[in-house]
Amino acid sequence: PARPPAAGPGGAGLWRTGERLAWLGGVGLTLSAFMGWYSISGDLRGNLAVLGWHTGTIGKLVFAIGVLVLLLLALRAFGVELPPSVPDGIVIAALGLAATILVLVRLIDIPEAFQPAVGRGIGIWLSLLAALLLIVAGLLKSGEDV
């Protein structure tokens, strides 16, 4: 199979596995803040979904981390590199770790405002998956950049 020409050390930028997974994780994390993290049933108004954005500061931080990852990747795609002493794969993995911790906090500790009839929605699970994907992508990216 034909591959695009190399765009620097380690192969073509967007075509490397770690880079693709980082884009996917960043987009998934950003969008998941606007998905239902909790579902409230039994209310007089029927079933309601609570978006990640509305879960307080943690939901907004998850969104910000996703945007930060996308910004880092976009800058790299346009040729702006971090200093060599700060490998971008490790930065992406660290951001993924921070997002994972934040999502796990929201997964375990449901805000009192949404109690008692609350279930976890698909959005929080997608947030967790995207955050874990960023960790994997960052580690793969670090290995590809060596």
Side-chain angles (χ1 to χ4, degrees):
R3 292 192 57 109
L14 265 178
W15 299 108
R16 299 183 335 197
T17 304
E19 192 92 10
R20 278 188 262 165
L21 290 177
W23 277 101
L24 184 64
V27 168
L29 199 60
T30 303
L31 293 178
S32 70
F34 300 105
M35 295 179 188
W37 281 18
Y38 304 113
S39 60
I40 302 173
S41 59
D43 192 51
L44 294 176
R45 297 168 286 197
N47 293 337
L48 299 173
V50 178
L51 304 181
W53 185 263
H54 295 125
T55 62
T57 305
I58 289 181
K60 291 169 182 64
L61 285 174
V62 167
F63 171 76
I65 290 171
V67 169
L68 193 60
V69 167
L70 293 176
L71 181 64
L72 177 70
L73 292 169
L75 287 173
R76 181 180 166 125
F78 286 111
V80 179
E81 297 282 334
L82 289 175
S85 61
V86 183
D88 53 348
I90 297 300
V91 171
I92 290 172
L95 289 170
L97 178 63
T100 301
I101 292 169
L102 291 171
V103 172
L104 284 174
V105 165
R106 272 295 159 244
L107 194 59
I108 295 168
D109 183 32
I110 299 172
E112 289 182 22
F114 310 126
Q115 297 287 353
V118 168
R120 286 155 188 86
I122 188 77
I124 198 161
W125 298 110
L126 291 175
S127 294
L128 183 61
L129 180 65
L132 292 171
L133 186 62
L134 283 177
I135 295 172
V136 171
L139 295 176
L140 282 174
K141 206 163 163 13
S142 291
E144 292 168 351
D145 290 341
V146 172

